Amino acid sequence: MRATLRRGWYARRTETKTRLQALRDALPEEDRMLLVLRVDRQLAWNELARVLAEADGDVPLDDAALAKEAARLRKRFQLVKDRLREQAKMEGLIE
């Protein structure tokens, strides 16, 4: 009986992870990249700002511009997290 319960728990967990990944995959590319660099690769905000600026072909950012871009990305990251949380609630994945 315990093995059956454990298999059921793992199956639900796997399904939840799959559905959460689908929500993440449905995000715009810039938002997905932000999540990958911050969550998966654990880049610091200034490093993340530099990487994204270089990926866009922008000129290198000075310290002030880098700080401003890092702040903008932090706000965007919060908005993306809030949007994902709301979608996950609507899907019944979290309470």
Side-chain angles (χ1 to χ4, degrees):
M1 173 136 160
R2 290 175 108 181
T4 302
L5 290 174
R6 195 172 308 134
R7 277 193 301 267
W9 180 81
Y10 282 123
R12 283 190 306 279
R13 184 172 178 216
T14 300
E15 179 184 344
T16 299
K17 287 172 85 173
T18 300
R19 290 172 62 196
L20 285 170
Q21 184 62 47
L23 289 176
R24 189 172 164 172
D25 291 344
L27 291 170
E29 184 177 351
E30 183 177 335
D31 292 345
R32 283 194 319 269
M33 181 63 70
L34 180 58
L35 285 173
V36 166
L37 294 175
R38 181 65 183 163
V39 176
D40 299 343
R41 299 208 180 148
Q42 300 179 342
L43 292 185
W45 288 110
N46 283 354
E47 188 176 353
L48 198 150
R50 185 176 292 115
V51 166
L52 290 178
E54 289 172 2
D56 288 342
D58 294 343
V59 296
L61 301 175
D62 62 20
D63 289 343
L66 189 63
K68 185 176 181 179
E69 181 61 11
R72 185 189 76 78
L73 290 171
R74 278 192 299 276
K75 181 63 177 173
R76 184 175 185 98
F77 181 73
Q78 186 61 50
L79 294 172
V80 170
K81 285 193 324 182
D82 291 346
R83 188 175 339 130
L84 278 175
R85 187 176 298 114
E86 272 306 306
Q87 290 174 336
K89 282 181 184 179
M90 289 173 45
E91 294 277 333
L93 299 175
I94 61 173
E95 294 181 13

PDB file of all heavy atoms in Angstrom, residues 34 37-39 41-52 66 70 73-74:
ATOM      1  N   LEU A  34      15.186  35.456 -18.837  1.00  0.00           N
ATOM      2  CA  LEU A  34      15.375  36.044 -17.516  1.00  0.00           C
ATOM      3  C   LEU A  34      15.287  34.961 -16.433  1.00  0.00           C
ATOM      4  O   LEU A  34      16.131  34.893 -15.541  1.00  0.00           O
ATOM      5  CB  LEU A  34      14.322  37.132 -17.282  1.00  0.00           C
ATOM      6  CG  LEU A  34      14.344  37.878 -15.965  1.00  0.00           C
ATOM      7  CD1 LEU A  34      15.680  38.568 -15.735  1.00  0.00           C
ATOM      8  CD2 LEU A  34      13.212  38.895 -15.933  1.00  0.00           C
ATOM      9  N   LEU A  37      18.425  32.545 -16.652  1.00  0.00           N
ATOM     10  CA  LEU A  37      19.664  33.138 -16.155  1.00  0.00           C
ATOM     11  C   LEU A  37      19.634  33.388 -14.647  1.00  0.00           C
ATOM     12  O   LEU A  37      20.633  33.189 -13.964  1.00  0.00           O
ATOM     13  CB  LEU A  37      19.970  34.437 -16.899  1.00  0.00           C
ATOM     14  CG  LEU A  37      20.289  34.283 -18.382  1.00  0.00           C
ATOM     15  CD1 LEU A  37      20.448  35.646 -19.037  1.00  0.00           C
ATOM     16  CD2 LEU A  37      21.525  33.431 -18.596  1.00  0.00           C
ATOM     17  N   ARG A  38      18.490  33.787 -14.137  1.00  0.00           N
ATOM     18  CA  ARG A  38      18.414  34.096 -12.703  1.00  0.00           C
ATOM     19  C   ARG A  38      18.185  32.843 -11.849  1.00  0.00           C
ATOM     20  O   ARG A  38      18.877  32.629 -10.867  1.00  0.00           O
ATOM     21  CB  ARG A  38      17.286  35.111 -12.460  1.00  0.00           C
ATOM     22  CG  ARG A  38      17.145  35.509 -11.024  1.00  0.00           C
ATOM     23  CD  ARG A  38      18.356  36.255 -10.518  1.00  0.00           C
ATOM     24  NE  ARG A  38      18.169  36.538  -9.095  1.00  0.00           N
ATOM     25  CZ  ARG A  38      19.125  36.879  -8.280  1.00  0.00           C
ATOM     26  NH1 ARG A  38      20.352  37.023  -8.716  1.00  0.00           N
ATOM     27  NH2 ARG A  38      18.875  37.099  -7.020  1.00  0.00           N
ATOM     28  N   VAL A  39      17.236  32.011 -12.226  1.00  0.00           N
ATOM     29  CA  VAL A  39      16.868  30.858 -11.403  1.00  0.00           C
ATOM     30  C   VAL A  39      17.772  29.662 -11.685  1.00  0.00           C
ATOM     31  O   VAL A  39      18.356  29.086 -10.770  1.00  0.00           O
ATOM     32  CB  VAL A  39      15.386  30.483 -11.632  1.00  0.00           C
ATOM     33  CG1 VAL A  39      15.020  29.223 -10.862  1.00  0.00           C
ATOM     34  CG2 VAL A  39      14.475  31.633 -11.240  1.00  0.00           C
ATOM     35  N   ARG A  41      20.626  29.425 -13.670  1.00  0.00           N
ATOM     36  CA  ARG A  41      22.077  29.672 -13.663  1.00  0.00           C
ATOM     37  C   ARG A  41      22.532  30.543 -12.503  1.00  0.00           C
ATOM     38  O   ARG A  41      23.724  30.769 -12.321  1.00  0.00           O
ATOM     39  CB  ARG A  41      22.507  30.292 -14.986  1.00  0.00           C
ATOM     40  CG  ARG A  41      22.209  29.350 -16.139  1.00  0.00           C
ATOM     41  CD  ARG A  41      23.118  29.539 -17.278  1.00  0.00           C
ATOM     42  NE  ARG A  41      22.788  28.620 -18.349  1.00  0.00           N
ATOM     43  CZ  ARG A  41      22.946  28.882 -19.610  1.00  0.00           C
ATOM     44  NH1 ARG A  41      23.440  30.048 -19.982  1.00  0.00           N
ATOM     45  NH2 ARG A  41      22.632  27.991 -20.521  1.00  0.00           N
ATOM     46  N   GLN A  42      21.584  31.084 -11.749  1.00  0.00           N
ATOM     47  CA  GLN A  42      21.844  31.859 -10.530  1.00  0.00           C
ATOM     48  C   GLN A  42      22.808  33.039 -10.744  1.00  0.00           C
ATOM     49  O   GLN A  42      23.686  33.294  -9.926  1.00  0.00           O
ATOM     50  CB  GLN A  42      22.350  30.939  -9.420  1.00  0.00           C
ATOM     51  CG  GLN A  42      21.359  29.857  -9.083  1.00  0.00           C
ATOM     52  CD  GLN A  42      21.838  28.911  -8.011  1.00  0.00           C
ATOM     53  OE1 GLN A  42      23.023  28.825  -7.717  1.00  0.00           O
ATOM     54  NE2 GLN A  42      20.920  28.191  -7.420  1.00  0.00           N
ATOM     55  N   LEU A  43      22.615  33.748 -11.853  1.00  0.00           N
ATOM     56  CA  LEU A  43      23.442  34.929 -12.103  1.00  0.00           C
ATOM     57  C   LEU A  43      23.036  36.073 -11.180  1.00  0.00           C
ATOM     58  O   LEU A  43      21.851  36.247 -10.870  1.00  0.00           O
ATOM     59  CB  LEU A  43      23.300  35.395 -13.559  1.00  0.00           C
ATOM     60  CG  LEU A  43      23.862  34.502 -14.653  1.00  0.00           C
ATOM     61  CD1 LEU A  43      23.724  35.196 -16.005  1.00  0.00           C
ATOM     62  CD2 LEU A  43      25.294  34.117 -14.399  1.00  0.00           C
ATOM     63  N   ALA A  44      24.018  36.858 -10.768  1.00  0.00           N
ATOM     64  CA  ALA A  44      23.751  38.078 -10.010  1.00  0.00           C
ATOM     65  C   ALA A  44      23.077  39.076 -10.952  1.00  0.00           C
ATOM     66  O   ALA A  44      23.215  38.996 -12.179  1.00  0.00           O
ATOM     67  CB  ALA A  44      25.066  38.651  -9.480  1.00  0.00           C
ATOM     68  N   TRP A  45      22.347  40.044 -10.362  1.00  0.00           N
ATOM     69  CA  TRP A  45      21.578  40.977 -11.186  1.00  0.00           C
ATOM     70  C   TRP A  45      22.456  41.780 -12.144  1.00  0.00           C
ATOM     71  O   TRP A  45      22.093  41.948 -13.315  1.00  0.00           O
ATOM     72  CB  TRP A  45      20.754  41.911 -10.301  1.00  0.00           C
ATOM     73  CG  TRP A  45      19.613  41.173  -9.659  1.00  0.00           C
ATOM     74  CD1 TRP A  45      19.478  40.859  -8.344  1.00  0.00           C
ATOM     75  CD2 TRP A  45      18.482  40.617 -10.324  1.00  0.00           C
ATOM     76  NE1 TRP A  45      18.333  40.142  -8.150  1.00  0.00           N
ATOM     77  CE2 TRP A  45      17.690  39.982  -9.353  1.00  0.00           C
ATOM     78  CE3 TRP A  45      18.054  40.593 -11.644  1.00  0.00           C
ATOM     79  CZ2 TRP A  45      16.503  39.337  -9.648  1.00  0.00           C
ATOM     80  CZ3 TRP A  45      16.859  39.939 -11.945  1.00  0.00           C
ATOM     81  CH2 TRP A  45      16.104  39.327 -10.956  1.00  0.00           C
ATOM     82  N   ASN A  46      23.584  42.288 -11.699  1.00  0.00           N
ATOM     83  CA  ASN A  46      24.446  43.070 -12.594  1.00  0.00           C
ATOM     84  C   ASN A  46      25.005  42.195 -13.716  1.00  0.00           C
ATOM     85  O   ASN A  46      25.096  42.633 -14.866  1.00  0.00           O
ATOM     86  CB  ASN A  46      25.583  43.726 -11.817  1.00  0.00           C
ATOM     87  CG  ASN A  46      25.121  44.948 -11.060  1.00  0.00           C
ATOM     88  OD1 ASN A  46      23.984  45.384 -11.187  1.00  0.00           O
ATOM     89  ND2 ASN A  46      26.001  45.498 -10.259  1.00  0.00           N
ATOM     90  N   GLU A  47      25.373  40.973 -13.382  1.00  0.00           N
ATOM     91  CA  GLU A  47      25.884  40.058 -14.404  1.00  0.00           C
ATOM     92  C   GLU A  47      24.788  39.711 -15.405  1.00  0.00           C
ATOM     93  O   GLU A  47      25.021  39.676 -16.622  1.00  0.00           O
ATOM     94  CB  GLU A  47      26.420  38.795 -13.733  1.00  0.00           C
ATOM     95  CG  GLU A  47      27.144  37.866 -14.673  1.00  0.00           C
ATOM     96  CD  GLU A  47      27.740  36.673 -13.947  1.00  0.00           C
ATOM     97  OE1 GLU A  47      27.707  36.619 -12.714  1.00  0.00           O
ATOM     98  OE2 GLU A  47      28.228  35.775 -14.659  1.00  0.00           O
ATOM     99  N   LEU A  48      23.592  39.497 -14.902  1.00  0.00           N
ATOM    100  CA  LEU A  48      22.459  39.193 -15.759  1.00  0.00           C
ATOM    101  C   LEU A  48      22.187  40.365 -16.709  1.00  0.00           C
ATOM    102  O   LEU A  48      21.978  40.165 -17.915  1.00  0.00           O
ATOM    103  CB  LEU A  48      21.238  38.934 -14.873  1.00  0.00           C
ATOM    104  CG  LEU A  48      20.077  38.197 -15.488  1.00  0.00           C
ATOM    105  CD1 LEU A  48      19.359  37.409 -14.408  1.00  0.00           C
ATOM    106  CD2 LEU A  48      19.134  39.126 -16.169  1.00  0.00           C
ATOM    107  N   ALA A  49      22.223  41.588 -16.185  1.00  0.00           N
ATOM    108  CA  ALA A  49      22.010  42.781 -17.019  1.00  0.00           C
ATOM    109  C   ALA A  49      23.072  42.873 -18.101  1.00  0.00           C
ATOM    110  O   ALA A  49      22.769  43.181 -19.261  1.00  0.00           O
ATOM    111  CB  ALA A  49      22.020  44.042 -16.148  1.00  0.00           C
ATOM    112  N   ARG A  50      24.311  42.591 -17.748  1.00  0.00           N
ATOM    113  CA  ARG A  50      25.410  42.646 -18.714  1.00  0.00           C
ATOM    114  C   ARG A  50      25.229  41.589 -19.809  1.00  0.00           C
ATOM    115  O   ARG A  50      25.361  41.884 -20.998  1.00  0.00           O
ATOM    116  CB  ARG A  50      26.753  42.443 -18.001  1.00  0.00           C
ATOM    117  CG  ARG A  50      27.945  42.611 -18.930  1.00  0.00           C
ATOM    118  CD  ARG A  50      29.271  42.505 -18.193  1.00  0.00           C
ATOM    119  NE  ARG A  50      29.442  43.652 -17.295  1.00  0.00           N
ATOM    120  CZ  ARG A  50      29.496  43.570 -15.962  1.00  0.00           C
ATOM    121  NH1 ARG A  50      29.419  42.409 -15.354  1.00  0.00           N
ATOM    122  NH2 ARG A  50      29.656  44.653 -15.230  1.00  0.00           N
ATOM    123  N   VAL A  51      24.895  40.372 -19.418  1.00  0.00           N
ATOM    124  CA  VAL A  51      24.716  39.278 -20.377  1.00  0.00           C
ATOM    125  C   VAL A  51      23.598  39.605 -21.358  1.00  0.00           C
ATOM    126  O   VAL A  51      23.753  39.442 -22.577  1.00  0.00           O
ATOM    127  CB  VAL A  51      24.423  37.945 -19.650  1.00  0.00           C
ATOM    128  CG1 VAL A  51      23.910  36.882 -20.598  1.00  0.00           C
ATOM    129  CG2 VAL A  51      25.669  37.459 -18.925  1.00  0.00           C
ATOM    130  N   LEU A  52      22.465  40.071 -20.850  1.00  0.00           N
ATOM    131  CA  LEU A  52      21.337  40.375 -21.732  1.00  0.00           C
ATOM    132  C   LEU A  52      21.637  41.566 -22.649  1.00  0.00           C
ATOM    133  O   LEU A  52      21.227  41.569 -23.811  1.00  0.00           O
ATOM    134  CB  LEU A  52      20.067  40.620 -20.924  1.00  0.00           C
ATOM    135  CG  LEU A  52      19.489  39.373 -20.250  1.00  0.00           C
ATOM    136  CD1 LEU A  52      18.257  39.729 -19.422  1.00  0.00           C
ATOM    137  CD2 LEU A  52      19.153  38.302 -21.271  1.00  0.00           C
ATOM    138  N   LEU A  66      24.351  50.008 -15.930  1.00  0.00           N
ATOM    139  CA  LEU A  66      24.263  48.612 -15.490  1.00  0.00           C
ATOM    140  C   LEU A  66      23.360  48.504 -14.261  1.00  0.00           C
ATOM    141  O   LEU A  66      22.490  47.620 -14.194  1.00  0.00           O
ATOM    142  CB  LEU A  66      25.656  48.078 -15.183  1.00  0.00           C
ATOM    143  CG  LEU A  66      25.769  46.584 -14.928  1.00  0.00           C
ATOM    144  CD1 LEU A  66      25.371  45.780 -16.157  1.00  0.00           C
ATOM    145  CD2 LEU A  66      27.185  46.234 -14.516  1.00  0.00           C
ATOM    146  N   ALA A  70      19.849  46.533 -14.133  1.00  0.00           N
ATOM    147  CA  ALA A  70      19.668  45.479 -13.131  1.00  0.00           C
ATOM    148  C   ALA A  70      18.386  45.721 -12.335  1.00  0.00           C
ATOM    149  O   ALA A  70      17.626  44.782 -12.064  1.00  0.00           O
ATOM    150  CB  ALA A  70      20.879  45.403 -12.208  1.00  0.00           C
ATOM    151  N   LEU A  73      15.425  44.818 -14.487  1.00  0.00           N
ATOM    152  CA  LEU A  73      15.285  43.360 -14.592  1.00  0.00           C
ATOM    153  C   LEU A  73      14.723  42.748 -13.312  1.00  0.00           C
ATOM    154  O   LEU A  73      13.940  41.801 -13.371  1.00  0.00           O
ATOM    155  CB  LEU A  73      16.621  42.722 -14.956  1.00  0.00           C
ATOM    156  CG  LEU A  73      17.107  43.004 -16.378  1.00  0.00           C
ATOM    157  CD1 LEU A  73      18.537  42.510 -16.556  1.00  0.00           C
ATOM    158  CD2 LEU A  73      16.175  42.371 -17.403  1.00  0.00           C
ATOM    159  N   ARG A  74      15.108  43.290 -12.159  1.00  0.00           N
ATOM    160  CA  ARG A  74      14.544  42.800 -10.890  1.00  0.00           C
ATOM    161  C   ARG A  74      13.036  42.998 -10.866  1.00  0.00           C
ATOM    162  O   ARG A  74      12.279  42.115 -10.455  1.00  0.00           O
ATOM    163  CB  ARG A  74      15.178  43.513  -9.690  1.00  0.00           C
ATOM    164  CG  ARG A  74      16.505  42.929  -9.278  1.00  0.00           C
ATOM    165  CD  ARG A  74      16.964  43.454  -7.931  1.00  0.00           C
ATOM    166  NE  ARG A  74      17.168  44.891  -7.895  1.00  0.00           N
ATOM    167  CZ  ARG A  74      18.282  45.502  -8.285  1.00  0.00           C
ATOM    168  NH1 ARG A  74      19.305  44.809  -8.738  1.00  0.00           N
ATOM    169  NH2 ARG A  74      18.375  46.810  -8.204  1.00  0.00           N
TER     170      ARG A  74
END
